[in-house]
Every structure is written in structure tokens, then in C-alpha cells.
Amino acid sequence: MNGSVRLGRIAGVPLRMHWSAPLLIVFVSVALGGGVLSAWAPGHSAAAYRTGALIGALALAVSLVAHEAAHALAARRAKIEVKDVTVFALGGVTRMGSATTPRDEGWVAAIGPLTNLVLGGLFLAAAVAVDDTLHWAVAAAVLAWVAWANGLLGVFNLLPAAPLDGGRVLQAVIWRIRGDRERAARISGRCGQVFGVALLAGGWLEVLMGQAAGLWLVLLGAFISFTAYAEVRRSVLYETLRGVRVTQAMHPAVAGQDWHTVDEFLATSASGVGVRTVIPLTDLDGRPSGVVTASALLSVPAVRRRDTRVRDVALPLDRCLLVDPDDRVTDVFDRLATTSGSPVLVLHDNRVVGVVTAEDITGLTRRHPHPPARPPAAHGAGHTT
């Protein structure tokens, strides 16, 4: 997610924080300290409420991280590649590849809200213990609120609407029954669109009635609607390109030599190409070494182009997605989900034979405007696309 910074790792998975995440802590702190704690534990100082509110907000943030960490760990156990975990103002997101079975899809989705429900029970037990043994009313109120918040997160995320975890569970169930992952994703996405619009409308109604918290529902509803719409579009694209191979999508590309200077390269290999064109590179031994664009070459100051090698401004091979001509385009999409939009190089016998760009995919969908015919799937059997 753009605008995020890396904080560390959770069980080997990078943890990132979006710039909007502190807004969640501020919002929760103000809400807790401004009235919730004083209502749940009256008769204490403003400093006690402010301290308790900050601790409660931080505990909620930790609960969100635990939710996403549970997704990541379950995905890794299911042999699904996990890119990173990001916490932002509306919750969290775990970037990962696609599950290959309905069972994995459902379990990876369900484990997040289940974690919140378990945490809710633990915080509630702690609240009762603190209140009964230590008689710390504010601390008990904070723990009780965190328990309530975790319970709400767990139940809310289990609602059957993508991109909520319940929508993923619904998708897994339909996939299991109908044997068609993309149809299942489309149904789940439609449910998400309806739920998101309803949430957005309810939020606006609260705003019109003078409830500031309604603005949060508006933002959440808009986010769910937009993401669900993207899910539907993705499922349609996947179904359209079902069975299509990379060799049908790529365009042939002539590799340039990475030891050339920028001046030489612009005059030869990059001559006449668009500024956004991806040009594959090879090293002195003829092995693929990376890619470069004309815009990257042109960004080198003119006075330095005679002394700068192309490899110094190129994207190295380990940051490219390497595929085979016989790979399925939809499998490439799944891999791109965890590679941050890396350039796609098509290799055969360790030679660059082509490149796949967004324009290539657009052209491919125009040539395949309708999903290809397919035999009916066996009852209860899921399959990958």
C-alpha cells in the first residue's frame, strides 16, 4: 500500500504501517477519553481517562495486527505466498497469493475474525479479574471496551460480503459447491457492493443527524464498495482469460546489452520506442540481467550519459517477474499480487522471448470479449484458474 512505512516483521512477514493508521489511534483515544470511559467508570480524574483511552486505542491497534498476523500465518501454513501486512485507518490488509482450494480459502479468511473473538474473550476475562481482585475501575473499563471492540471486529468481519473475511468464507463455500472460483468471487463481490452502499447510506444518515461517527461509516462503506467492485472486475477478467497462455499475451522483445552506455543505448536499442516501453537487458554472457525503460534512461543528465552504464539505471532481474510462455495468464496475475507490479519477462531456455505489459492484457481482453466455454465442474470440486 502506497504511503506506508516498514515497522518490522511478524513471524517473518514484513509489518507496515500506513500514514493513516495514527488517525485510528487518535480517533479511538478521543472517543474513549471523551465519554465512554467516564460513563463506564465514573468518578475518576481526566488524566486517568486520557491514559486509559490511549492504552485502549493501542490495544485495539495490536488486535488489528494480531488479526492480520493470523491471516498471514494461516496462509503460509497453506503454502500461500505472503507479501506483507499493512495496518491503516480502516483496519488492515494482508497481501498474499491465491488459495488453490476452497478449504484453504475459507480457513485463511476465517482465522482473522476468530482471532478477534478469542481476544475478546480473553480481554473480557481480564476485565472481570481486574475489577474483582484489584478494583481498578478505569483499567477494567478499558479492558472491557477492548473486549467489546474485538467482538465487534470479529462479528463485523464475518459478514458475508467481500472484501470482508466473511465474504471470503462465502466465496469458499460457493466455490466448494459450484466448483467455480470466479463465479464465487463475483457473487461475494456483489454482496460486498450492496453492503458497502448500505453502510455508506447509513453513515450519511448519521452525519445528517449530527453524529460525527457517521463519517467513519461513510469512509468504511466507500472503501468496501470500491474494493468489492474491484473484486467483481477481477473475477470477470479472470474468467475472460481462463486458459489463455502467456505466449498469447506477450509481445516479442529484443534485448539490449546492459554494458552499453546510456548514450549508446538511446541511439540503438531504445531508438524509436516510447518512454514507457520496457526493454529487457542481457549481460556480457548473454544472460538476462533486468529491464530498463526509455524514461529511466532519459532521466540521466545529458552530461553523464557517456559515462553511465545502462545497468546502473536498470531494474535488476530479481525485481522482475519471470514466467514461461506456457504459463497461464491468470497464474501470472496471482503472482503479481505479491510482487508490487513488477515487470513481467517471458523466458524460454534462459533467453528473453517477450514482455507482458498492461497494454498487452488490454489487447488480449479485446480479442477475448467473452469467457471461453468450459465443461461443467464436478459437484463439490474446486479448481484453479
Side-chain angles (χ1 to χ4, degrees), residues 50-316:
R50 285 195 295 267
T51 302
L54 179 59
I55 293 173
L58 292 174
L60 177 61
V62 171
S63 299
L64 291 175
V65 172
H67 175 114
E68 298 303 329
H71 284 314
L73 292 174
R76 291 182 64 181
R77 187 177 182 84
K79 308 301 181 184
I80 300 171
E81 183 182 2
V82 180
K83 178 66 175 181
D84 55 29
V85 168
T86 302
V87 178
F88 65 109
L90 298 178
V93 60
T94 301
R95 288 197 298 165
M96 66 179 75
S98 298
T100 57
T101 67
R103 179 179 179 179
D104 288 343
E105 177 86 18
W107 174 244
V108 171
I111 192 65
L114 292 178
T115 298
N116 285 124
L117 293 177
V118 170
L119 286 175
L122 293 175
F123 277 112
L124 182 59
V128 172
V130 167
D131 189 46
D132 287 347
T133 59
L134 301 177
H135 307 295
W136 293 350
V138 175
V142 171
L143 290 170
W145 181 87
V146 176
W148 171 83
N150 270 281
L152 180 62
L153 279 173
V155 173
F156 180 79
N157 273 284
L158 283 174
L159 293 175
L164 300 177
D165 296 321
R168 307 293 185 197
V169 174
L170 173 64
Q171 177 180 334
V173 171
I174 298 174
W175 180 10
R176 176 70 178 176
I177 295 173
R178 303 297 296 271
D180 189 335
R181 184 174 72 174
E182 303 317 324
R183 171 181 280 189
R186 193 158 57 251
I187 293 173
S188 177
R190 296 297 187 196
C191 292
Q193 287 180 286
V194 172
F195 178 70
V197 170
L199 201 62
L200 193 154
W204 271 121
L205 184 61
E206 286 200 8
V207 170
L208 293 177
M209 295 174 62
Q211 300 292 327
L215 183 60
W216 203 260
L217 293 181
V218 170
L219 294 175
L220 187 59
F223 172 76
I224 290 175
S225 298
F226 177 80
T227 309
Y229 173 74
E231 291 276 341
V232 173
R233 289 289 302 271
R234 185 207 65 84
S235 67
V236 172
L237 176 64
Y238 271 49
E239 192 165 18
T240 299
L241 299 179
R242 188 194 304 268
V244 176
R245 304 292 172 174
V246 169
T247 188
Q248 298 171 258
M250 72 180 193
H251 68 266
V254 178
Q257 289 73 44
D258 66 3
W259 70 87
H260 281 174
T261 65
V262 171
D263 259 347
E264 292 172 335
F265 202 89
L266 287 172
T268 55
S269 300
S271 178
V273 303
V275 294
R276 295 180 181 271
T277 302
V278 176
I279 307 169
L281 301 172
T282 58
D283 59 19
L284 283 168
D285 297 322
R287 296 172 302 192
S289 63
V291 298
V292 73
T293 61
S295 60
L297 297 169
L298 292 172
S299 67
V300 179
V303 296
R304 295 177 49 200
R305 292 177 186 173
R306 289 185 179 181
D307 303 318
T308 302
R309 301 289 177 181
V310 173
R311 58 175 168 262
D312 296 329
V313 295
L315 195 68

Side-chain angles (χ1 to χ4, degrees), residues 344-359:
V344 179
L345 287 184
V346 186
L347 302 184
H348 181 66
D349 291 336
N350 204 33
R351 292 186 303 106
V352 179
V353 296
V355 175
V356 180
T357 64
E359 290 76 15

